[in-house]
Amino acid sequence: MENAIGERLKKARKHTNLTQIEVYEKIGINNKTLSGYEVGTSEPDYQSLAKLCSLYNVSIDWIITGVSISTESVRIPETKGIELTSEDFLGYDLLYRDKAMTITEKRKLVEIARLLFD
């Protein structure tokens, strides 16, 4: 049986450098329960999945499907481009090499952009 959801949960947890015990300490999901999700012996309920996604800073759609689906349609004018404030940018779910970027990584990206363009 394929365990894509569990694999993505584990990948997201490791990307945030958290142990299963640390997840328990932060959001109260028992490490044995989390282990079951990650190895595919059980599936998280919606509330647990929402807590995990929030903690890992990934979207639920990415955990379930492996594809990040934007809920907002952004129209970019052909001649002007798009202008985002740093706060707007930090609010978006961003992927790099199929991994969700952490808030720290997004802040570093903003700093690099400032160095290049200011």
Side-chain angles (χ1 to χ4, degrees), residues 53-82:
C53 288
S54 178
L55 178 64
Y56 300 157
N57 196 28
V58 297
S59 63
I60 290 175
D61 53 286
W62 179 77
I63 292 293
I64 293 171
T65 67
V67 177
S68 188
I69 302 168
S70 175
T71 57
E72 296 180 26
S73 176
V74 178
R75 184 168 180 219
I76 301 172
E78 290 182 26
T79 56
K80 292 188 178 182
I82 187 169

Side-chain angles (χ1 to χ4, degrees), residues 5-7 10-11 14-15 31 41-42 57 59-60 68-69 77 87 96 98 108:
I5 291 173
E7 289 171 7
K10 185 174 183 176
K11 186 176 188 179
K14 288 190 175 247
H15 184 72
N31 63 303
T41 57
S42 62
N57 196 28
S59 63
I60 290 175
S68 188
I69 302 168
E87 294 304 313
Y96 178 70
D98 203 31
K108 287 180 184 177

Side-chain angles (χ1 to χ4, degrees), residues 11-106:
K11 186 176 188 179
R13 178 178 58 79
K14 288 190 175 247
H15 184 72
T16 57
N17 296 315
L18 293 172
T19 66
Q20 291 178 346
I21 298 295
E22 289 170 324
V23 170
Y24 169 71
E25 291 169 350
K26 290 181 180 289
I27 60 175
I29 294 176
N30 184 290
N31 63 303
K32 290 182 181 179
T33 302
L34 182 56
S35 177
Y37 299 160
E38 291 182 357
V39 298
T41 57
S42 62
E43 289 189 1
D45 58 54
Y46 180 76
Q47 285 182 320
S48 297
L49 186 59
K51 286 180 183 180
L52 290 166
C53 288
S54 178
L55 178 64
Y56 300 157
N57 196 28
V58 297
S59 63
I60 290 175
D61 53 286
W62 179 77
I63 292 293
I64 293 171
T65 67
V67 177
S68 188
I69 302 168
S70 175
T71 57
E72 296 180 26
S73 176
V74 178
R75 184 168 180 219
I76 301 172
E78 290 182 26
T79 56
K80 292 188 178 182
I82 187 169
E83 184 173 329
L84 296 173
T85 65
S86 296
E87 294 304 313
D88 290 335
F89 181 80
L90 295 174
Y92 284 99
D93 290 335
L94 300 175
L95 298 175
Y96 178 70
R97 295 187 176 169
D98 203 31
K99 292 182 183 177
M101 292 178 71
T102 65
I103 191 71
T104 303
E105 291 168 327
K106 289 188 243 180

